[in-house]
Amino acid sequence: EGSLCLFVLQKYGYTHLSAGDLLRDERKRPGSQYGELIENYIKEGEIVPVEITISLLKRAMDQTMAANSQKNKFLIDGFPRNEDNLQGWNKTMDGKADVSFVLFFDCDNEICIGRCLERGKSSGRSDDNRESLEKRIHTYLQSTKPIIDLYERMGKVRKVDASKSVDEVFEKVVQIFDKEG
């Protein structure tokens, strides 16, 4: 699935940034002042403080644009996840970045858990276990869903039924990017 979506992103000139990947990379970085803190939040299925996540996203965006000024379109995966994230984004990125749309992969909780448990057999991720996943779903319902609802009211949500096959999901993503550019 991921490689198909990366193909779409490259075709339309987007750089993929995963908030989770950036946090996991920072957690592993030798000498990171945030490593242990990030690990504890991830393990508990909680949302890492916005200042940390925003600084990592901004650094990645700045590095990408410094290397190639034409690379100024980003798909930020897994962010914002709560009101604090949204306010931090608006405060830090006001006038620097515009949100064109939110790509929302909608999927039944049990399907998500099953897929993550399957991924957990080879991912080595500390949060790919049922207990952490159930905490993440609770956090999603309590904190993230209201952000998606807010963007929906603004007419910025593009929804994909992610319970479908990989090919069907891919086709829907292509349609969205064909329309949005």
Side-chain angles (χ1 to χ4, degrees):
E1 286 178 49
S3 59
L4 292 176
C5 285
L6 288 177
F7 165 78
V8 173
L9 294 176
Q10 289 168 351
K11 177 181 174 184
Y12 295 96
Y14 284 79
T15 298
H16 176 257
L17 295 178
S18 164
D21 286 352
L22 291 170
L23 289 164
R24 284 185 287 277
D25 290 347
E26 181 66 19
R27 175 188 63 190
K28 290 186 281 191
R29 191 174 62 82
S32 169
Q33 60 179 322
Y34 302 122
E36 194 175 328
L37 179 78
I38 291 169
E39 172 62 19
N40 290 335
Y41 275 92
I42 288 175
K43 204 180 285 182
E44 290 303 313
E46 295 177 7
I47 296 169
V48 174
V50 67
E51 297 79 13
I52 296 172
T53 309
I54 289 268
S55 69
L56 297 175
L57 284 168
K58 189 171 183 320
R59 181 173 73 193
M61 292 169 81
D62 289 344
Q63 287 172 345
T64 300
M65 291 185 294
N68 181 347
S69 61
Q70 300 300 307
K71 289 195 166 233
N72 61 359
K73 295 190 325 185
F74 298 90
L75 186 137
I76 300 177
D77 181 350
F79 190 88
R81 292 205 180 223
N82 62 11
E83 181 66 31
D84 191 41
N85 279 184
L86 181 61
Q87 288 180 6
W89 173 265
N90 289 340
K91 181 180 167 192
T92 305
M93 303 306 279
D94 184 43
K96 297 177 187 147
D98 295 318
V99 176
S100 300
F101 63 97
V102 172
L103 187 59
F104 176 52
F105 291 93
D106 194 15
C107 193
D108 175 81
N109 292 344
E110 278 307 311
I111 291 174
C112 284
I113 288 172
R115 288 176 178 173
C116 289
L117 289 174
E118 189 61 34
R119 176 183 69 189
K121 293 176 181 176
S122 61
S123 72
R125 286 179 50 165
S126 61
D127 58 338
D128 278 347
N129 62 74
R130 183 165 284 277
E131 185 182 356
S132 290
L133 293 166
E134 286 176 356
K135 289 177 183 177
R136 287 174 65 188
I137 287 171
H138 176 75
T139 299
Y140 163 77
L141 292 171
Q142 190 174 43
S143 303
T144 308
K145 184 78 170 81
I147 301 306
I148 294 165
D149 294 342
L150 173 73
Y151 278 112
E152 187 127 47
R153 289 191 296 275
M154 296 164 64
K156 291 192 172 199
V157 171
R158 308 297 178 262
K159 196 178 285 193
V160 176
D161 181 355
S163 66
K164 304 273 188 197
S165 72
V166 172
D167 289 342
E168 289 171 296
V169 171
F170 176 70
E171 185 57 40
K172 181 66 175 172
V173 170
V174 168
Q175 289 171 11
I176 290 168
F177 277 88
D178 275 344
K179 188 174 179 186
E180 298 294 337

